[in-house]
Amino acid sequence: MLLEEQYIRLIFGLKLKQIRTEKNLSLFGLAKLTGLSKSYLNEIEKGKKYPKTDKIAILAENLEVPYDHLVSLKLDKNLAPIGEILQSKILKEIPLDLFGIQENNLIDIVANAPAKVNAFISTIIKISQNYNLTRESFFLASLRSYQEAHNNYFDDIETSVEKFAKAYQINLDEKITSEDLKEILIEEFNYKIDTKELSKHKNLTDIRNIYIPKKNTLILSKEISEAQKTFIFAKEIAYNFLEIKDRLYTFPWIKFESFDQVLNNFIASYFAGALIIPKKKLVKQLKDLFEKKDWNPLRLHKILTSYNCSDETFYQRLTNILPTSFNIKNLFFLRFTHKKDSPTYRLSKELHITQQQAPHANRNQEHYCRRWVSIKTIQDFENSNQKKSSSGIQISSYENSTNEYLVLSSANKDPFKKDIYRSISIGMLLSPHLKRKVKFFKEDTFEKNVVGVTCESCSVKDCKERVAEPWILEKKARYKEIENSIKNIIESYE
């Protein structure tokens, strides 16, 4: 985080540089005018030094500006966004070192090109306003970038899981139950488990658990499944075993105070997934699956049900293991939600390893392509009498692109929200490496569908699934036609 004195030095340096350039003075010229050395003035402007009172008086007198104006932390309009971002809680809360950014480097960047940095910041602010970018979505986007930068694999957490299993004699080759973990929480970490309190509050039906730190009490919903209970217990163990203090207290979370809480929630969730679905066991199962010469969905289902987990936890775990253990890095993870009878499908969670694959969450109320297996599995589940889940697999071939993805998807009903359905999908780029690694892959085995991103931007002709006209594409075509006409006119006069 930027220290207060660093911020004061930087603001003074920015103001000095702004006033100097407005008066068409070089650093050499200002040095001649004030009698201060050029190198000393340069360090002031870069925010590395703050002048003493007598030096500030000399600068104010020679630059013909009031002393109070020079020492004020208020920036002129054209530099104000820099001041706002430097003082903002977002900049102070995000651990910049996660992204390899040092505080001093950040200060140097701002000091060396204040006008350009200001323009960049102003652009980001305007974009965030237009897209209603909240503090919440900013933090979650930062976390997602952090995951993607590490291929969503964290060896230190994997090692911590193995240490925990050894210390508490947990057999990672066997299915872990909630009772296994509940015993540890109560006996080792002195937890109290309350399954009655939440049922007394009708407005808390969406909440699965609340942790009360002062009482060391975990309040659980009676409606959660065995898999959900196991995951919650595993997260609580992670907070204690990893000695994480700054944490969220509800699931799903209601609010957070800092980026650290968001990051720590991810660490605890990762630990829980790695404990419930151990790496060594899963790698062996996937190797066996990939060696099969033919595709049978029951084999994947058998692997999934060998763990006490939800479909989402399993698919998330695949995003940890496939890039690291199988070098399958060009993949994405998606979670769609849908309210019954609504025309809108919402992309509520996404992760992209190595490259940014389509689709992405959009805020323009566009309609996602109905040809995606992610949406089809939701539709199939809603139209069936199944109580647990429906699944699907397809090759998604993107229009106007050579990229094709093998996409697996599973859909079920949200147990906590009425008439809400969701699907979990993982897509893998059909690269030569994937085709060699996955022996059962044969293009004629799986349904292939040409897909777009949104109906509004899709050029697929005679699409029976289309729910909106391609007005974005048509607009681009009109502009292109106008551009070509103008070009022809210009060329005819040359």
Side-chain angles (χ1 to χ4, degrees):
M1 294 184 294
L2 291 171
L3 301 176
E4 187 66 23
E5 59 184 54
Q6 287 178 310
Y7 172 74
I8 293 171
R9 289 200 305 267
L10 181 56
I11 293 300
F12 187 92
L14 290 173
K15 293 185 79 169
L16 178 61
K17 186 172 185 177
Q18 182 185 34
I19 295 167
R20 174 177 65 77
T21 53
E22 284 175 354
K23 293 183 178 292
N24 295 315
L25 277 171
S26 65
L27 268 175
F28 180 86
L30 183 59
K32 293 281 287 183
L33 187 66
T34 61
L36 304 174
S37 74
K38 178 184 172 183
S39 60
Y40 177 63
L41 291 171
N42 185 45
E43 288 190 311
I44 291 174
E45 288 191 356
K46 287 188 174 183
K48 293 181 178 180
K49 286 188 177 180
Y50 192 87
K52 293 182 179 179
T53 304
D54 60 328
K55 300 294 191 299
I56 297 174
I58 292 172
L59 288 167
E61 181 182 350
N62 285 279
L63 290 170
E64 298 178 336
V65 295
Y67 180 97
D68 290 344
H69 172 70
L70 204 54
V71 297
S72 169
L73 293 178
K74 186 176 181 180
L75 287 166
D76 291 342
K77 184 180 178 181
N78 63 337
L79 289 178
I82 291 179
E84 292 174 12
I85 204 76
L86 291 174
Q87 292 186 88
S88 70
K89 289 183 178 179
I90 286 178
L91 195 59
K92 290 181 179 180
E93 288 172 354
I94 292 181
L96 297 172
D97 56 299
L98 283 181
F99 303 98
I101 300 173
Q102 300 300 317
E103 295 159 5
N104 291 335
N105 293 343
L106 188 64
I107 291 172
D108 285 342
I109 290 168
V110 175
N112 287 330
K116 292 180 180 179
V117 173
N118 178 69
F120 175 74
I121 292 171
S122 297
T123 302
I124 295 298
I125 290 172
K126 287 175 182 176
I127 290 173
S128 67
Q129 289 171 341
N130 290 337
Y131 284 85
N132 193 27
L133 181 64
T134 62
R135 177 171 176 264
E136 166 193 318
S137 56
F138 181 83
F139 279 164
L140 293 176
S142 298
L143 174 62
R144 190 164 64 245
S145 296
Y146 176 60
Q147 291 175 253
E148 292 167 356
H150 291 82
N151 290 330
N152 202 31
Y153 180 82
F154 298 87
D155 195 57
D156 55 336
I157 307 178
E158 300 279 350
T159 301
S160 294
V161 168
E162 292 179 357
K163 287 181 179 177
F164 168 79
K166 183 177 180 180
Y168 289 89
Q169 289 298 290
I170 299 291
N171 187 346
L172 295 180
D173 290 326
E174 295 181 357
K175 184 184 287 190
I176 295 173
T177 69
S178 63
E179 285 300 315
D180 296 331
L181 304 183
K182 179 181 179 181
E183 183 181 13
I184 295 172
L185 282 175
I186 294 173
E187 295 296 328
E188 286 294 305
F189 300 114
N190 301 314
Y191 267 54
K192 300 177 186 67
I193 311 293
D194 184 337
T195 58
K196 297 179 181 179
E197 183 64 30
L198 273 178
S199 60
K200 300 175 184 176
H201 306 272
K202 292 183 179 180
N203 63 328
L204 298 181
T205 54
D206 290 350
I207 300 298
R208 301 181 193 183
N209 70 275
I210 303 173
Y211 175 66
I212 314 295
K214 288 184 179 179
K215 300 291 185 180
N216 207 26
T217 298
L218 183 64
I219 301 174
L220 286 180
S221 167
K222 287 183 177 179
E223 306 302 318
I224 59 176
S225 66
E226 163 63 12
Q228 290 166 338
K229 188 187 297 185
T230 304
F231 189 82
I232 290 168
F233 287 166
K235 276 186 71 175
E236 291 301 320
I237 283 173
Y239 283 128
N240 286 272
F241 187 73
L242 301 177
E243 298 181 350
I244 296 172
K245 304 299 181 187
D246 194 6
R247 55 163 291 179
L248 301 174
Y249 296 109
T250 65
F251 180 65
W253 50 264
I254 303 302
K255 67 173 185 176
F256 48 75
E257 304 298 332
S258 68
F259 180 77
D260 281 345
Q261 290 183 348
V262 177
L263 179 61
N264 289 337
N265 180 70
F266 163 72
I267 291 171
S269 297
Y270 189 110
F271 183 101
L275 177 61
I276 296 167
I277 309 173
K279 176 184 173 181
K280 290 180 181 177
K281 180 179 177 181
L282 180 59
V283 167
K284 183 179 183 305
Q285 290 172 319
L286 291 176
K287 281 182 178 177
D288 291 342
L289 177 68
F290 292 163
E291 286 297 320
K292 302 298 182 186
K293 301 295 184 183
D294 61 319
W295 165 251
N296 186 335
L298 291 177
R299 293 187 186 121
L300 181 62
H301 180 72
K302 186 176 180 181
I303 295 174
L304 195 160
T305 54
S306 69
Y307 301 102
N308 188 9
C309 69
S310 66
D311 290 3
E312 180 166 355
T313 300
F314 182 76
Y315 278 53
Q316 283 270 29
R317 189 63 175 140
L318 290 180
T319 68
N320 306 141
I321 300 305
L322 291 176
T324 306
S325 298
F326 295 90
N327 202 32
I328 300 174
K329 296 180 179 180
N330 290 302
L331 58 82
F332 61 79
F333 170 90
L334 306 173
R335 180 177 69 200
F336 277 93
T337 57
H338 179 242
K339 185 174 177 61
K340 193 172 185 180
D341 300 324
S342 167
T344 303
Y345 290 81
R346 178 172 169 259
L347 180 51
S348 57
K349 194 170 187 178
E350 59 181 310
L351 187 70
H352 303 265
I353 309 296
T354 302
Q355 58 179 293
Q356 296 295 301
Q357 300 92 354
H360 296 288
N362 73 72
R363 296 177 182 270
N364 296 323
Q365 305 303 314
E366 295 176 43
H367 297 80
Y368 289 112
C369 179
R370 298 318 199 238
R371 293 183 170 207
W372 292 338
V373 69
S374 306
I375 290 178
K376 283 184 176 181
T377 50
I378 293 179
Q379 294 172 337
D380 290 345
F381 185 77
E382 289 179 355
N383 295 330
S384 71
N385 294 320
Q386 297 183 65
K387 293 183 179 181
K388 290 188 176 181
S389 66
S390 65
S391 60
I393 184 169
Q394 76 172 31
I395 296 174
S396 292
S397 178
Y398 282 87
E399 55 157 352
N400 303 322
S401 171
T402 57
N403 286 349
E404 292 184 336
Y405 290 85
L406 181 64
V407 186
L408 293 84
S409 183
S410 175
N412 55 31
K413 191 178 186 305
D414 190 316
F416 290 88
K417 296 178 181 177
K418 186 178 180 182
D419 294 330
I420 298 294
Y421 299 84
R422 60 193 180 185
S423 71
I424 308 299
S425 305
I426 186 167
M428 296 166 282
L429 181 69
L430 286 180
S431 62
H433 170 74
L434 180 72
K435 292 176 182 180
R436 288 194 302 270
K437 182 70 68 174
V438 180
K439 298 294 191 298
F440 61 72
F441 179 78
K442 299 178 183 66
E443 300 214 20
D444 57 353
T445 301
F446 307 107
E447 175 189 1
K448 181 184 286 192
N449 236 338
V450 176
V451 300
V453 178
T454 64
C455 290
E456 288 81 353
S457 62
C458 179
S459 63
V460 174
K461 304 293 184 182
D462 303 320
C463 177
K464 295 179 182 179
E465 293 88 352
R466 181 181 291 281
V467 294
E469 293 303 311
W471 64 266
I472 293 177
L473 199 69
E474 292 167 355
K475 183 179 178 181
K476 286 182 179 179
R478 286 198 305 272
Y479 283 174
K480 188 65 178 177
E481 186 178 342
I482 291 170
E483 181 186 336
N484 289 334
S485 296
I486 293 172
K487 182 181 178 183
N488 291 335
I489 291 172
I490 293 172
E491 288 177 349
S492 68
Y493 274 84
E494 290 179 347

